Amino acid sequence: MLSSRSEAIAHDDAVLAQLGIKAELSRKMGVFGNFAISFSVICILAGGMSLFGFGLGHGGPAVMLGSWVVIGFMTLLVGVCLADVVSAYPTSGGPYFMADKLGGPRWGWMTGWLNLLGLWGAIAGIDYGAAAFIGAFAQLQWDITPTGTTTMGIFGCILLVHGLLNVCGVRLVTVLNSISVWWQLGGVTLIVGTLALAPVQHRSPDFVFTRFVNDSGFSNPLYVCLIGSLIAGYTFCGYDASSHVAEETTKAQTSAPKGIVHAITVSWIAGFILLAGMLSAIQDYKGTQNTATGVPPAQIFLDVLGNVGAKALLLVVIIAMLFCGNAEVAAASRMIYAFSRSRALPRWQTFRSVSPRSKTPVPAVWLAVVMPFLLALPALWSPAAYGAITAINAVGMTPAYGIPVYLALRKGDAYVPGPWTLGRWRRPIGWIAVIYVVVITVVFCLPQTSPVTAETFNYAGVTLAVALGIAWLTWITRGRRDYQLTAHTTAADQASMKEIV
């Protein structure tokens, strides 16, 4: 007699088989673990803190909180629509697999490359940001002034640790992600509570919710509101992680959709509380913007709590960032594994192989950490070049979320939803979500500072064009010949993969 868990796993594997996929990964994740990976990747303590200084000069408190409400709500609409499609296609491939099933190979190929480049850009941005915060901590603790070289060295070490943790298996990744959830929620509570109870002057509600500050160089307040919304737009990325670990999740057709929706909802609420608490604690607005630490949140901690308190809260943020980067590596490695299973990457035989011991795609994990390091190397010579690379995080991933939603709508009644579905609300919410994806992608590409120079130019649009160009070129040269969504390996392929593992 099979246990309920065994029955659930058997059902999940049968769903994969119907989609043409043989189950190879270990199903060690439940609904909370699936939620935890997306929540860890969104990581309000990473995105909200890293872009806090940008928000201060591009609309100030009014835009930071107002856009958080609006962008969070619109992201939730996209999330529930994507969750509907994930329920029908619960595979590690995530958006590219859905796009292929709903629109054909070209849609799948283009979506896959956008998603993959976005994941690499996200890892580069998250872990390099963590390295910068560690540099700020080192300056407070040991009076060590961080340089580009030391930051890059710390960045490399972080990636190495994340690689080592991920090759140990999904069970450890799940445990770390679960800790990450409580660390983030506890961290928000600690930061907001400590700042609120500190015996210092606090800003009025009028300042926190209505103060508009424009240091962008642009005079149009509506335009400033649009570009100021990027603090929320960039933060609310990465919730596709729940789909990428669907093949390692029990009851995936309902657990993965719930993971996406719950991760966005909890991040939306907790992030608002965090930003409001930080803004109310600002002592010197200009001093916070121009802080010698290079990290405006660190200056707020210093002004309110002094050196010891600031270092303690900075450590809370740094550890949250490290959890975030580790979760993103897990999601990216599963995407690489699935994309290689479809023969989309060079040397796909290597990157689709799974360790028989840990049931983890080990080569894919190492590619997930090596590529972000290579992408971030230009930061040694040009911050603008690095910005162009990491910009693909949002401009790559956000369209990749919208494409499957659009294709499901285009499919009409021929689209067969899974057990988790929006039902009759799918079409009206879906079209709103698709329009939002188009609008926010354009906003990501707008100039953010005036005058526009080589250093202030927003390279997101260029990066998106390059990503699309790479995807189209690789499709012409090898994709249309080699790409197979559910390619079955030959005996020779299997022997080759055994040698690799």
Side-chain angles (χ1 to χ4, degrees):
M1 192 75 178
L2 290 175
S3 67
S4 59
R5 176 178 170 79
S6 298
E7 289 177 350
I9 292 175
H11 174 74
D12 288 326
D13 291 348
V15 171
L16 282 184
Q18 290 174 355
L19 296 173
I21 296 173
K22 179 183 176 182
E24 295 180 294
L25 305 178
S26 179
R27 291 192 185 272
K28 303 286 188 181
M29 214 177 261
V31 63
F32 183 80
N34 190 281
F35 150 77
I37 190 169
S38 280
F39 183 75
S40 297
V41 169
I42 293 174
C43 193
I44 51 178
L45 284 175
M49 293 297 192
S50 298
L51 295 168
F52 193 85
F54 175 86
L56 290 178
H58 292 75
V63 173
M64 292 170 74
L65 289 178
S67 66
W68 190 270
V69 172
V70 175
I71 299 297
F73 176 72
M74 297 306 296
T75 302
L76 185 58
L77 295 186
V78 177
V80 296
C81 293
L82 184 64
D84 188 296
V85 189
V86 169
S87 182
Y89 305 104
T91 77
S92 297
Y96 98 84
F97 190 96
M98 308 173 211
D100 189 303
K101 280 290 188 180
L102 296 168
R106 290 186 184 182
W107 280 104
W109 181 271
M110 298 295 284
T111 303
W113 276 103
L114 283 173
N115 194 201
L116 180 57
L117 291 171
L119 287 165
W120 281 335
I123 295 169
I126 293 164
D127 282 355
Y128 194 87
F133 268 68
I134 290 173
F137 179 84
Q139 188 174 35
L140 292 176
Q141 178 65 32
W142 302 292
D143 198 27
I144 298 174
T145 302
T147 65
T149 303
T150 57
T151 302
M152 186 62 67
I154 296 170
F155 172 58
C157 292
I158 292 172
L159 288 172
L160 177 61
V161 171
H162 285 163
L164 292 171
L165 290 173
N166 271 272
V167 298
C168 291
V170 71
R171 187 183 294 276
L172 176 60
V173 171
T174 301
V175 169
L176 292 173
N177 288 337
S178 299
I179 296 172
S180 172
V181 172
W182 301 114
W183 185 272
Q184 285 198 60
L185 294 177
V188 170
T189 303
L190 177 65
I191 290 171
V192 174
T194 304
L195 294 177
L197 295 175
V200 296
Q201 183 71 33
H202 290 84
R203 299 284 181 163
S204 67
D206 181 65
F207 173 90
V208 172
F209 295 104
T210 66
R211 177 68 179 271
F212 181 83
V213 179
N214 178 20
D215 296 327
S216 67
F218 295 103
S219 58
N220 189 313
L222 178 59
Y223 184 85
V224 175
C225 288
L226 284 176
I227 58 176
S229 68
L230 294 181
I231 184 173
Y234 277 107
T235 301
F236 283 111
C237 281
Y239 47 87
D240 60 316
S242 289
S243 68
H244 292 305
V245 295
E247 292 181 33
E248 296 160 278
T249 302
T250 55
K251 299 182 181 179
Q253 287 187 290
T254 54
S255 295
K258 289 178 181 177
I260 292 172
V261 176
H262 293 165
I264 295 171
T265 303
V266 176
S267 298
W268 185 24
I269 297 169
F272 183 87
I273 295 170
L274 175 65
L275 289 179
M278 293 287 294
L279 290 168
S280 68
I282 293 176
Q283 301 300 298
D284 179 353
Y285 202 96
K286 286 298 180 182
T288 300
Q289 287 181 286
N290 302 318
T291 174
T293 67
V295 179
Q299 190 61 50
I300 295 175
F301 299 156
L302 276 171
D303 292 342
V304 176
L305 304 171
N307 195 273
V308 175
K311 288 185 289 187
L313 293 189
L314 205 55
L315 274 178
V316 171
V317 175
I318 289 169
I319 293 173
M321 288 179 165
L322 296 177
F323 277 130
C324 175
N326 190 66
E328 191 72 270
V329 168
S333 64
R334 274 51 175 188
M335 166 60 191
I336 292 167
Y337 157 75
F339 215 30
S340 298
R341 185 172 59 191
S342 298
R343 306 186 182 190
L345 295 180
R347 296 190 60 81
W348 61 268
Q349 298 95 332
T350 299
F351 299 117
R352 66 93 63 221
S353 62
V354 176
S355 166
R357 181 185 60 82
S358 64
K359 297 297 183 182
T360 298
V362 173
V365 169
W366 291 117
L367 185 62
V369 297
V370 169
M371 284 303 300
F373 184 78
L374 296 177
L375 290 173
L377 279 177
L380 287 172
W381 302 280
S382 171
Y386 170 69
I389 297 301
T390 56
I392 195 59
N393 172 21
V395 296
M397 295 175 79
T398 303
Y401 303 158
I403 289 171
V405 175
Y406 162 73
L407 293 174
L409 293 170
R410 193 182 71 165
K411 199 83 172 176
D413 294 335
Y415 168 69
V416 180
W420 195 100
T421 178
L422 294 172
R424 62 190 180 91
W425 292 102
R426 184 174 61 83
R427 289 189 180 182
I429 295 177
W431 283 115
I432 294 172
V434 169
I435 293 170
Y436 166 73
V437 166
V438 173
V439 171
I440 196 65
T441 302
V442 172
V443 171
F444 284 144
C445 299
L446 294 174
Q448 297 170 1
T449 303
S450 180
V452 178
T453 65
E455 291 299 316
T456 63
F457 183 75
N458 181 8
Y459 289 90
V462 176
T463 309
L464 178 60
V466 170
L468 291 171
I470 291 172
W472 184 249
L473 182 62
T474 52
W475 170 259
I476 293 173
T477 55
R478 59 179 301 273
R480 58 186 176 186
R481 181 187 70 244
D482 299 334
Y483 174 68
Q484 299 177 41
L485 181 64
T486 55
H488 295 287
T489 56
T490 64
D493 293 333
Q494 292 173 351
S496 174
M497 284 185 284
K498 286 181 180 179
E499 292 177 6
I500 292 167
V501 175

